[in-house]
Amino acid sequence: MKRNVAIIGGGQTYHAARRHDVNQVEMTNEAIRRALDDAQMTIDEIDAVLVSNMEFFEGTHMTDCWMVDGSGAYGKPGLKITTGGTVGATTVCAGAHHVASGLFDKVLCVAFEKQEEGDTGAILSGVAHPLWGRSMAGAAVGYFAMMGSSYMAAWGAKEEHSAMVAVKARQNARKNKYAHLKLDITIEDALNSRMLSWPIRMLDMCPASNGACAMILADEKTAKDRCKKPVWIRAMETAHNEQFELDWRDAKTKRPIFSKVCASRIYKKLGVKNPAKYFDVFEIYEPATWTEIVWYEDLGLCKPGEGFRLIEKGMTNIDGPIPVNPSGGVLSTNCIGASAMLRVWEAALQIRGDAGGHQVPKDVNRALTTAYGGTNWAVMTALSKTLD
Amino acid sequence: MSDRVAIVGIAQTKFASKRAEVSYGELSYEVIEQVLKDTGLVMERDIDNSISCSHDIWDGQTISDIGITDVIGGHLRNEEKVAMDGTNMVLYGAIGILSGEFECSLLMAHTKMSQTNRNIVNNDAFDPIYSRLLGFDYTSAAALQAKRYMYKYGITQEQCAKVVSKNLANARLNPSAHNMGEYSVGDVLSSPVVASPIHELEIAPDTDGAVAMILASEKKAKEITDNPVWILGFSNCYDAHYLGDRDLADYMSLHKAARKAYNMAGVKNPRREIDVVELCDAFSYQELLWSEGLGLCGQGEGGRLLDSGATALKGKIPINPSGGLLSGVPENVAGLNRAAEAYLQVKGEAGEHQVGDVRIAVVQGHSGFCGQHHCVVVLGKE
Amino acid sequence: MTEDKAYEPFEVDQHITANSTYYAGDMGSRFYIALRDKRKILGVRCPKCNKVYWPPRSTCGICFSKLSEMVEIGPCGTLETFTLVTYSEPVHPRKAPFIYGIVKLDGADTGMAHFIDEVDFSKIHIGMRVRPVFAKERKGNILDIQYFKPI
Amino acid sequence: MAKKEKELISVPITVDVPYRFAAGKYMTKFLMELKNNGKILAIKCPKCGRVQLPPRIVCAACHVKNDEWVELSNEGTLVGFTIMYIPLTDPTTGKPHKPPFVYGSVRLDGATSVLDHLVNIEPTMDKVWVGMRCKVVLRPQKDRIGDLSDIRYLEPLPGQKKPREQRSYKDKEQ
């Protein structure tokens, strides 16, 4: 990038299954006001507003145009970005491009989802090709189920391992005042939750949440003048995947996988040799428990086939050596359009030391976030405390 | 700006009212294959990232860039989607290159309007709490804007109809167009009233098609071609959402976007310096209203500018020599097609609808109803 | 390989049908409850811009102030623009032909887009004074106002 | 006294958008051959040789146009599966398929891609395993409409036994 880009502020709503007290615009506005307050900035100082959302989810065609009052975009430049579950992170990339271009100094990135308003079941079936699989609506859970069964068959992991991920997420969420599913559950509870699609149970899946996240990105000069704790965006990488071949679920596939390709590119950009040492915290996009275990391996935090050992040994706990999703992650809070941006914002909070109850108990200088969406798409963002 | 971004190639489908034989992915590949062939670029070697433009609700596909990932080179690579008018892709593509992240970007917009009902799709662009149940769509909203505009500034039905005569005559010279012909003002005004004061011939027809474009950094552009077309300036701007929030005859957001784009491009006097304009005439009156917003004439003078003949194919500031949207360009693709046409004009490759020597070309696109968001791009030779 | 020409274009009719529920929020609920129960139309005032907006919103688009002061507006207003719609769509609550207009309600600075009825189209004009006709059975949505008609 | 909950208004709207989807050149040929001749066609990448199902215009990995059609066997190997406990639309009826049932991913002989579909087998872990041989069962020709649902389901080939090493799975079926 031609200019350094920093996160100089951010905010999120609290997340819940019901938000009847606000409409979509008002809910999003809550996060934006928090972001502006956090950056000690007024909306007048913002040069552009970028909105991320997928129009089908709430059944609104031009959401960005509807939001202009609440988003502060009225009379300002801006774009709407729409790339699946990754969209919140894609919008951060778009914001970083805006700032790095030299044409904008302060850019507001906005992401939201009010899942209770849309018809998520109908809309998710629309992800499939109209003539190839759309009539099999609901197969997303089946996809993660096959991933779990393939993983267990390949490496000898047990259902208990996915339950450990389910518990870690919800126990971490209890420390995060903004999280949705703050559940005091045990491994037994997870294993006894309702079976959806073997081996995926209710507690192996993310909830349907309402919520929003907003972040303010700025150039180096603004960041240093205006912000006590800027968090620097050091690298971004995107890897989408083709429409029909979804090999991520096959634990022993020999084909190149989006997540590994994306990770190896961002590591190359940064010169990372040992990601588990290089980064102090990870915020990853795990719509189902098994994906978290697979992410460990794809991110190179352990060898292939050893992901379940990390969770078993507590390595990725909030106080472990490789903390993953201290916020509770997507398993605890999934407002789809905002989930990927929340990963970036939560990682920034960790670097600032401002995560509160779920701050990891060690120095955080670098963090890596992942986003997941579409037909196995990833966006990764690497953040740091200093520019060294 | 010290760093520059160029357009190094474009490809367009022949626009048609219906392309029943291809999926939108296959339609998109027609232009992607063509633009790579024309520029001699290779996807894995030369293209750093791809940006697509369409809308899920138009495509009938949740996260509709899924349907073009394969053909746009998105597999294990960078693809992003801008769900707005296509002009915004040119803007965002240029920003990506200026950021230093990318050297060479592939842009592609596609939409098959024939596969659904535009009024149902566009009804969803109205806020669900106060407006949508009333049944508005872009045509009825445009009619409210047209009426207000005509009332406030004395624009006549004949002037609006004349836009149609001019653009559909221009379209006869454009091989990509599908809606064209010799229509008198009388012909236009005797076509059925769809939503007063808008007649059937004053509405851009349903169209299927796609446009692709390749942007490159200055260094890369000079490796690819001897005469790239430079993106000299751009900006975009949001206006209010609700129909009643603003005087629909005004154009705050277009004015702001145009002013910033001109500043960036060093255009001081748009009326004198601009050689050709391609703008989004989704409805006839919009060509007049947007020409005011672009500063080509004073407020309320859009009709007079047209009457003066300045916007004719061989006029002083030709507008839509391609035939514009009235000649048949899909929604979403609209603005990228404007930019592609402006590119051809600057290159001097527009063929029969070439307006003469073009140094500065201006492109306008709008998203939402009644121009809720405008984007302006300035292209040029140097 | 068989020649592609042997296959006629194949098309399939489908619908995407999503049952959505949109929440009006606190302020929107106050508007709809007043409309439904008292046949009153509320807007919201921005003290900084000294403007009254309809529909009510909790942020001023111009100055970004938080808004909370709801004020009664109308019920009468002035027609700003109008159109006669001649086509019918499944999303229309009325059968064509019908008239849409934008009405600036007395006391408001922004207009309300709605139906205009009980008027001869040749007599309708911008600047015409109109008043709302409320639906007999009101459900808490924008169709609780049936249409506006000339005073 | 309990505080009366404040009334909050909601506006229900059914977003119902009609589409006439064009299958496109590649999917049309696939569906017509399935419907008329009961054949399952795939397409082979001229560069990497990947045999792709459903057939599509471009090999996403090689960025080249696919042009070599290949007829696949109607038999293949199960590469993944799950037992579904939530209703899933049964493509043969358009109605929810009564859970539990087996949903599997089969690689037809000759294909690189897999095909996801219902597996017509008792939903217990004893009866289904990765590596199981299956065949495609089509609807009778007169009932075929040119849709993926012209394939009714995958059916295990007779005379197979679950290999010993895969029997250690704890069967969760009650």
Side-chain angles (χ1 to χ4, degrees):
Chain A
M1 287 190 290
K2 282 189 189 145
R3 298 210 292 178
N4 288 315
V5 181
I7 299 164
I8 62 161
Q12 59 184 301
T13 58
Y14 66 88
H15 297 87
R18 279 166 58 113
R19 281 306 303 276
H20 298 184
D21 57 321
V22 284
N23 64 29
Q24 293 175 37
V25 183
E26 292 165 338
M27 183 184 75
T28 309
N29 181 257
E30 287 178 9
I32 292 167
R33 286 191 186 278
R34 284 184 182 142
L36 289 167
D37 287 350
D38 183 64
Q40 295 182 304
M41 205 163 258
T42 66
I43 194 73
D44 296 336
E45 297 180 79
I46 298 293
D47 299 322
V49 179
L50 308 182
V51 175
S52 54
N53 180 245
M54 296 152 284
E55 48 250 55
F56 250 138
F57 279 79
E58 282 94 358
T60 298
H61 186 25
M62 305 290 303
T63 354
D64 53 329
C65 289
W66 174 28
M67 304 225 125
V68 287
D69 297 329
S71 70
Y74 175 76
K76 289 191 196 306
L79 292 175
K80 178 174 66 168
I81 312 283
T82 65
T83 55
T86 44
V87 70
T90 307
T91 304
V92 174
C93 295
H97 295 154
H98 272 67
V99 173
S101 74
L103 297 169
F104 304 83
D105 290 341
K106 286 152 277 171
V107 174
L108 173 64
C109 300
V110 181
F112 77 97
E113 196 81 66
K114 206 148 182 262
Q115 271 211 64
E116 65 180 351
E117 303 206 350
D119 188 337
T120 310
I123 294 320
L124 283 179
S125 72
V127 173
H129 186 285
L131 300 170
W132 189 267
R134 189 167 293 185
S135 52
M136 311 276 279
V141 175
Y143 179 80
F144 295 122
M146 283 192 221
M147 187 173 189
S149 59
S150 163
Y151 187 89
M152 286 192 285
W155 308 116
K158 298 277 183 292
E159 289 163 61
E160 283 73 11
H161 292 106
S162 70
M164 289 172 197
V165 176
V167 171
K168 172 175 81 73
R170 280 47 175 264
Q171 291 292 353
N172 286 354
R174 292 177 69 214
K175 302 181 175 81
N176 175 1
K177 65 176 175 176
Y178 294 109
H180 176 186
L181 284 188
K182 297 169 183 150
L183 303 176
D184 186 11
I185 53 165
T186 63
I187 290 174
E188 274 305 299
D189 296 332
L191 288 172
N192 288 328
S193 65
R194 186 161 74 95
M195 184 69 84
L196 302 176
S197 175
W198 187 88
I200 296 279
R201 296 175 173 79
M202 200 67 174
L203 285 169
D204 286 309
M205 289 301 292
C206 54
S209 315
N210 299 314
C213 181
M215 282 169 50
I216 297 166
L217 309 186
D219 66 301
E220 186 170 345
K221 184 172 180 307
T222 307
K224 286 182 170 164
D225 288 352
R226 298 286 301 268
C227 181
K228 282 201 192 84
K229 298 184 215 170
V231 174
W232 303 96
I233 297 179
R234 303 311 297 275
M236 305 169 289
E237 195 59 53
T238 297
H240 284 189
N241 185 79
E242 59 188 308
Q243 184 169 14
F244 295 109
E245 314 290 333
L246 308 177
D247 300 279
W248 202 32
R249 62 183 166 182
D250 180 359
K252 289 201 166 166
T253 181
K254 296 208 167 55
R255 295 196 65 213
I257 292 297
F258 72 105
S259 46
K260 295 181 198 170
V261 169
C262 197
S264 74
R265 285 202 199 121
I266 202 165
Y267 293 165
K268 197 176 161 200
K269 272 186 187 171
L270 294 165
V272 177
K273 293 280 177 311
N274 182 348
K277 287 238 162 58
Y278 186 90
F279 296 103
D280 303 304
V281 68
F282 295 81
E283 276 287 340
I284 63 170
Y285 196 122
E286 37 30 313
T289 48
W290 290 104
T291 60
E292 173 155 336
I293 292 174
V294 174
W295 270 126
Y296 294 164
E297 300 175 12
D298 293 357
L299 290 175
L301 307 185
C302 59
K303 292 200 185 92
E306 291 180 358
F308 69 104
R309 299 290 178 206
L310 286 192
I311 187 81
E312 188 180 271
K313 292 181 192 149
M315 303 282 277
T316 56
N317 287 352
I318 199 162
D319 53 357
I322 319 168
V324 176
N325 287 4
S327 66
V330 178
L331 283 170
S332 304
T333 306
N334 190 25
C335 31
I336 306 173
S339 286
M341 192 180 286
L342 279 171
R343 305 279 68 69
V344 183
W345 174 234
E346 284 290 348
L349 284 174
Q350 292 288 347
I351 287 174
R352 286 175 20 167
D354 289 342
H358 61 287
Q359 179 70 41
V360 302
K362 65 171 179 177
D363 280 348
V364 180
N365 291 305
R366 299 193 194 98
L368 182 71
T369 74
T370 75
Y372 174 78
T375 47
N376 287 347
W377 297 350
V379 177
M380 294 185 187
T381 317
L383 308 178
S384 75
K385 193 183 237 168
T386 58
L387 274 171
D388 323 324
Chain B
M1 52 188 153
S2 55
D3 304 297
R4 301 199 294 173
V5 180
I7 303 175
V8 297
I10 63 120
Q12 320 198 55
T13 56
K14 164 101 177 89
F15 296 111
S17 49
K18 189 170 167 70
R19 290 289 305 276
E21 81 287 10
V22 285
S23 65
Y24 74 81
E26 291 168 352
L27 179 74
S28 303
Y29 190 61
E30 291 177 8
V31 289
I32 293 167
E33 190 181 28
Q34 190 64 44
V35 78
L36 289 172
K37 197 175 146 218
D38 289 352
T39 52
L41 297 175
V42 176
M43 186 75 83
E44 55 270 35
R45 189 190 66 204
D46 299 306
I47 305 293
D48 296 327
N49 70 315
S50 309
I51 304 172
S52 71
C53 170
S54 188
H55 270 100
D56 290 8
I57 303 187
W58 271 114
D59 294 336
Q61 165 87 47
T62 306
I63 315 172
S64 72
D65 40 344
I66 286 174
I68 51 92
T69 308
D70 295 9
V71 298
I72 206 169
H75 180 56
L76 305 181
R77 292 155 47 85
N78 190 325
E79 191 269 328
E80 293 174 356
K81 178 175 153 208
V82 177
M84 311 182 86
D85 175 67
T87 35
N88 294 285
M89 315 168 69
V90 182
L91 171 143
Y92 182 49
I95 285 173
I97 290 173
L98 291 174
S99 78
E101 280 285 279
F102 312 111
E103 287 278 316
C104 190
S105 306
L106 170 62
L107 317 181
M108 190 275 298
H110 62 86
T111 289
K112 290 185 77 181
M113 292 176 80
S114 74
Q115 70 169 12
T116 183
N117 174 333
R118 64 155 87 183
N119 294 334
I120 295 178
V121 170
N122 291 335
N123 177 242
D124 293 331
F126 290 79
D127 99 90
I129 299 166
Y130 301 103
S131 323
R132 197 183 295 172
L133 284 177
L134 295 166
F136 292 111
D137 55 54
Y138 285 9
T139 303
S140 49
L144 292 170
Q145 183 170 42
K147 180 72 193 174
R148 181 75 195 168
Y149 175 48
M150 291 161 76
Y151 166 81
K152 195 168 174 187
Y153 295 114
I155 300 291
T156 63
Q157 295 234 325
E158 286 71 24
Q159 286 169 327
C160 294
K162 216 164 162 184
V163 172
V164 181
S165 305
K166 169 177 78 73
N167 289 0
L168 295 193
N170 289 351
R172 297 200 307 167
L173 308 172
N174 176 4
S176 298
H178 77 91
N179 191 38
M180 61 194 77
E182 284 294 337
Y183 292 94
S184 67
V185 166
D187 293 339
V188 176
L189 295 181
S190 55
S191 70
V193 172
V194 176
S196 68
I198 296 178
H199 299 77
E200 198 171 87
L201 280 168
E202 296 181 282
I203 304 174
D206 279 2
T207 303
D208 292 357
V211 173
M213 177 180 282
I214 293 177
L215 305 187
S217 65
E218 178 157 12
K219 182 167 159 279
K220 180 92 182 174
K222 286 179 172 165
E223 290 166 16
I224 299 166
T225 173
D226 293 332
N227 51 346
V229 170
W230 300 103
I231 299 175
L232 303 178
F234 50 78
S235 189
N236 58 11
C237 185
Y238 280 103
D239 211 321
H241 172 79
Y242 298 99
L243 282 168
D245 267 13
R246 55 187 165 119
D247 189 325
L248 291 172
D250 295 344
Y251 36 71
M252 176 279 285
S253 62
L254 177 55
H255 177 70
K256 268 194 171 182
R259 204 181 50 201
K260 279 191 197 165
Y262 295 159
N263 275 346
M264 190 173 162
V267 171
K268 292 193 178 60
N269 184 343
R271 296 181 204 191
R272 288 241 295 274
E273 294 172 59
I274 296 168
D275 300 310
V276 66
V277 175
E278 282 282 348
L279 55 73
C280 283
D281 51 335
F283 302 92
S284 58
Y285 77 92
Q286 288 183 342
E287 178 165 313
L288 308 178
L289 185 54
W290 301 163
S291 65
E292 296 174 18
L294 286 168
L296 308 180
C297 58
Q299 192 157 22
E301 290 174 0
R304 251 176 286 160
L305 180 72
L306 175 80
D307 287 340
S308 75
T311 62
L313 186 64
K314 296 294 174 191
K316 250 179 67 193
I317 312 179
I319 298 181
N320 289 342
S322 67
L325 304 192
L326 290 167
S327 73
V329 182
E331 258 186 54
N332 312 318
V333 179
L336 193 63
N337 168 255
R338 308 269 61 66
E341 285 292 341
Y343 163 88
L344 292 174
Q345 292 288 350
V346 175
K347 292 271 270 191
E349 290 175 0
E352 283 192 78
H353 63 289
Q354 181 70 40
V355 300
D357 187 36
V358 173
R359 290 184 59 253
I360 301 276
V362 166
V363 172
Q364 173 273 349
H366 56 91
S367 310
F369 49 87
C370 300
Q372 286 172 319
H373 176 279
H374 281 275
C375 180
V376 177
V377 180
V378 183
L379 305 180
K381 242 175 207 155
E382 282 92 37
Chain C
M1 183 185 155
T2 334
E3 266 299 302
D4 285 345
K5 280 180 202 144
Y7 303 90
E8 287 292 308
F10 182 57
E11 296 181 280
V12 178
D13 288 314
Q14 289 184 10
H15 279 249
I16 291 184
T17 307
N19 295 305
S20 306
T21 307
Y22 299 101
Y23 292 91
D26 271 331
M27 186 176 278
S29 297
R30 282 173 64 192
F31 165 79
Y32 275 123
I33 290 167
L35 177 64
R36 183 190 65 193
D37 299 349
K38 297 184 177 149
R39 288 190 288 187
K40 280 186 177 173
I41 301 173
L42 301 183
V44 67
R45 180 190 304 280
C46 175
K48 203 168 157 194
C49 300
N50 197 26
K51 275 184 190 275
V52 174
Y53 293 114
W54 189 91
R57 60 204 71 181
S58 49
T59 298
C60 173
I62 293 168
C63 73
F64 211 64
S65 296
K66 266 190 166 172
L67 307 183
S68 58
E69 185 194 345
M70 294 193 77
V71 292
E72 191 178 343
I73 55 174
C76 297
T78 308
L79 191 63
E80 299 247 285
T81 179
F82 59 90
T83 176
L84 176 76
V85 175
T86 65
Y87 56 96
S88 289
E89 293 290 356
V91 292
H92 290 165
R94 309 181 126 208
K95 260 199 131 100
F98 57 80
I99 301 167
Y100 282 131
I102 297 179
V103 177
K104 195 168 269 181
L105 294 174
D106 297 345
D109 292 284
T110 62
M112 178 191 286
H114 215 295
F115 293 109
I116 311 293
D117 207 340
E118 290 191 46
V119 58
D120 183 353
F121 187 68
S122 61
K123 302 255 168 64
I124 195 169
H125 59 274
I126 290 174
M128 191 172 75
R129 296 284 295 160
V130 293
R131 67 176 175 84
V133 173
F134 296 98
K136 282 207 180 66
E137 271 184 49
R138 293 181 298 278
K139 297 173 183 160
N141 66 46
I142 197 62
L143 298 173
D144 287 355
I145 298 173
Q146 259 187 308
Y147 51 82
F148 285 82
K149 68 173 194 180
I151 295 178
Chain D
M1 210 177 89
K3 200 178 142 196
K4 199 182 156 203
E5 204 176 314
K6 196 164 63 175
E7 184 189 3
L8 290 168
I9 297 289
S10 62
V11 182
I13 298 180
T14 297
V15 175
D16 179 20
V17 192
Y19 297 97
R20 170 160 287 191
F21 290 116
K25 288 176 179 155
Y26 289 73
M27 194 68 95
T28 296
K29 179 164 173 167
F30 169 83
L31 292 172
M32 290 307 111
E33 288 297 324
L34 180 68
K35 174 174 177 263
N36 299 332
N37 305 319
K39 285 182 180 174
I40 298 174
L41 295 189
I43 201 143
K44 189 171 174 180
C45 170
K47 204 166 159 194
C48 69
R50 191 158 63 116
V51 178
Q52 298 160 51
L53 185 72
R56 64 204 76 156
I57 187 166
V58 165
C59 173
C62 304
H63 315 293
V64 295
K65 209 168 188 165
N66 288 322
D67 59 1
E68 189 187 336
W69 291 83
V70 180
E71 186 180 344
L72 298 178
S73 161
N74 69 345
E75 292 184 8
T77 305
L78 200 66
V79 296
F81 68 91
T82 177
I83 298 175
M84 291 287 265
Y85 292 84
I86 48 175
L88 193 68
T89 310
D90 182 339
T92 62
T93 62
K95 299 206 175 76
H97 196 88
K98 198 168 166 281
F101 56 89
V102 178
Y103 183 67
S105 183
V106 71
R107 180 168 285 122
L108 295 177
D109 297 343
T112 312
S113 310
V114 295
L115 168 68
D116 292 350
H117 221 294
L118 305 172
V119 185
N120 186 31
I121 193 171
E122 192 187 327
T124 71
M125 296 303 291
D126 273 349
K127 298 282 168 65
V128 58
W129 63 92
V130 168
M132 190 172 77
R133 295 285 296 164
C134 296
K135 73 164 194 255
V136 166
V137 176
L138 300 181
R139 284 201 278 211
Q141 200 201 338
K142 64 176 174 52
D143 298 336
R144 297 204 286 258
I145 55 168
D147 186 81
L148 187 60
S149 64
D150 288 346
I151 298 174
R152 283 185 71 189
Y153 44 69
L154 305 164
E155 188 157 78
L157 292 178
Q160 300 179 80
K161 262 194 177 164
K162 189 167 181 172
R164 189 164 289 278
E165 68 272 19
Q166 285 192 25
R167 284 191 202 170
S168 53
Y169 281 179
K170 192 177 156 197
D171 187 357
K172 288 284 155 185
E173 183 60 17
Q174 301 302 316

